[in-house]
Structure formats: structure tokens, C-alpha cells
Amino acid sequence: MDREGRVCVGVFDSGIGGMTLLAECRRRMPSLRFYYYGDNGNAPYGGKSKAELLSLSRRVLGLFASIGTDAVLLACNTVTTACVEDLRKEYAFPVVGTEPALRAAAGCENLLVLATAATLKSGEYARLQRERAGHTVCFAPEKLVAAIERNAPFFEKIGMADHLPALHPDGVVLGCTHFVYLKKYI
Ligand code: DGL
């Protein structure tokens, strides 16, 4: 808690992506105090191994622990899918992850899932995909996170056709918090 008795929550992402979640958290829980860590210096996370992601996450969660944070939100699908279980065992405060948005898309026949390569490798995504009745294409736009970081806040400058496959799905899962900024362009 801070000096005024407010519960403190650390919010963490590789860069600006998690700020989309931060904004929603602040709207819904205005009495909490939020600290945000965007690890821009090491972004993007999407091509990193589990060992690298764990090491980067420990550095940030250690920082949150040192300032007395009461809980941490991993506002990053990549870190959640690779590391949430390990991090929950290591820290005394609750560690909340970002759930894959695949469940919400259950009704779509042809679905495009956009996420980072590291996220798509996870067992959770593979399982959810197997359980789906319709057709699913999973795609990791390799350079899109870097383009979002570079162009923010002028997202209209990013040419979607350079990054996305030429498909006409019934629905798209934004499995990376960065991609939420591009919702209307996608
Ligand atoms: N925003 C992150 C996610 O939700 C990570 C993007 C990246 O750094 O590659 O997966």
C-alpha cells in the first residue's frame, strides 16, 4: 500500500502494449494506485526464449517487490503464456496474467489469431485451438510490434498489408496487447 493506504498494482509489458490494459484498469478501479513498467529497451519480446523472458520478468517484478507493490498484472500475452506459473511460485504477491482472447471467439467459423511467435508456441494456445470447432489460422506478424513502438501514436502510418496475411476471416483474435491499438485498421 502507499502512504495514503491505497493498494498498489504493478503493470508490466514489453513496451506500450500493456497501456491499453492499464487504461481499462484505471477506469474500473480508480481507487487503486498503478505503476507501469514498459520494457522498451528490450522490446520486442515475441521472439525471445522462455529463459530470456523469465530473466527480464524477474528484473521487473523484483523492482515492483522492492517498492512494496501489492499485486502485479502481466499486461503481456507473451510473458503470461511463457512465465506466469513460474512467477506465481516465486513472488509473495498475486501475479495476474492476460488470458488469451480465443474463448471469446468460439462462435467464429474462420478465425485469424494474431499473437507473437512466443505466445503461439505455448501449450495453452495449442489446446484452445484443438478444442475449437471452426477453422483457425494462427499468425505471428514478426515486425508489427516494433512498428507499433516506432510509430506510436500515429498508428495510421503502419501499412497493415505489409504485416498481415491476405485472408478474410469472420473474426480476429488480438492475442498481443500491442495489437489492440490497431483494432480499427485491422
Ligand atoms: N505486448 C506483448 C504481448 O501481449 C508483447 C509484444 C512483444 O514485445 O513482442 O504479447
Side-chain angles (χ1 to χ4, degrees), residues 27-141:
R27 195 179 66 77
R28 291 188 190 212
M29 295 168 281
S31 62
L32 303 194
R33 177 167 200 150
F34 293 97
Y35 296 102
Y36 188 80
Y37 194 105
D39 193 9
N40 308 79
N42 292 300
Y45 276 13
K48 297 195 191 299
S49 67
K50 176 173 173 168
E52 288 173 301
L53 292 169
L54 257 179
S55 151
L56 292 167
S57 303
R58 283 179 181 133
R59 202 166 55 83
V60 178
L61 268 65
L63 190 69
F64 283 143
S66 73
I67 58 170
T69 306
D70 299 293
V72 166
L73 166 62
L74 305 177
C76 176
N77 293 264
T78 306
V79 170
T80 301
T81 49
C83 308
V84 71
E85 295 308 332
D86 297 83
L87 296 172
R88 279 181 179 146
K89 286 181 202 139
E90 292 174 26
Y91 294 89
F93 45 67
V95 178
V96 180
T98 307
E99 280 295 309
L102 265 177
R103 287 188 193 97
C108 290
E109 178 56 28
N110 288 301
L111 187 65
L112 172 63
V113 178
L114 298 176
T116 67
T119 297
L120 293 179
K121 260 191 239 154
S122 84
E124 174 73 346
Y125 263 67
R127 190 179 60 75
L128 285 168
Q129 231 192 102
R130 269 199 311 277
E131 287 170 6
R132 260 185 47 77
H135 179 64
T136 312
V137 173
C138 289
F139 185 76

Side-chain angles (χ1 to χ4, degrees), residues 13-14 44-46 76-78 116 145 176-178:
D13 180 48
S14 64
Y45 276 13
C76 176
N77 293 264
T78 306
T116 67
V145 170
C176 168
T177 50
H178 277 77

